[in-house]
Amino acid sequence: MIEEHDRVVLTTKEPDAGLEPGDVGTVVHVYSEGEAFEVEFVTLTGDTVAMLAIDRDEVRPVQSRELTHARSVE
């Protein structure tokens, strides 16, 4: 189960926010017992890129054998 402060991986493209599948964000709020989440996506230096309300099927928990990957955003 995904909870507040968990890191999650985006599984869908969010072009208006400049986000791609695989981008990692942090859950800042859980809605409707886990049906949706408010997720903050930040740069590696801590600047917020986007804060989105995202449905449960648009993110997944991070897995123990995954690495963070860096890419530039507009």
Side-chain angles (χ1 to χ4, degrees):
M1 177 168 178
I2 296 173
E3 299 178 357
E4 284 187 11
H5 307 291
D6 284 353
R7 291 187 309 160
V8 293
V9 179
L10 188 64
T11 60
T12 60
K13 188 171 187 166
E14 296 289 340
D16 291 341
L19 299 173
E20 298 285 338
D23 288 346
V24 177
T26 301
V27 174
V28 296
H29 186 74
V30 178
Y31 295 107
S32 301
E33 298 180 17
E35 292 300 314
F37 308 97
E38 190 79 19
V39 181
E40 182 178 23
F41 294 87
V42 299
T43 65
L44 294 177
T45 58
D47 297 317
T48 299
V49 173
M51 180 95 66
L52 301 174
I54 298 179
D55 290 336
R56 171 68 183 101
D57 62 351
E58 296 177 296
V59 293
R60 64 171 178 77
V62 296
Q63 298 174 6
S64 63
R65 300 283 303 159
E66 291 181 309
L67 296 173
T68 302
H69 176 83
R71 70 176 184 84
S72 295
V73 293
E74 299 284 328

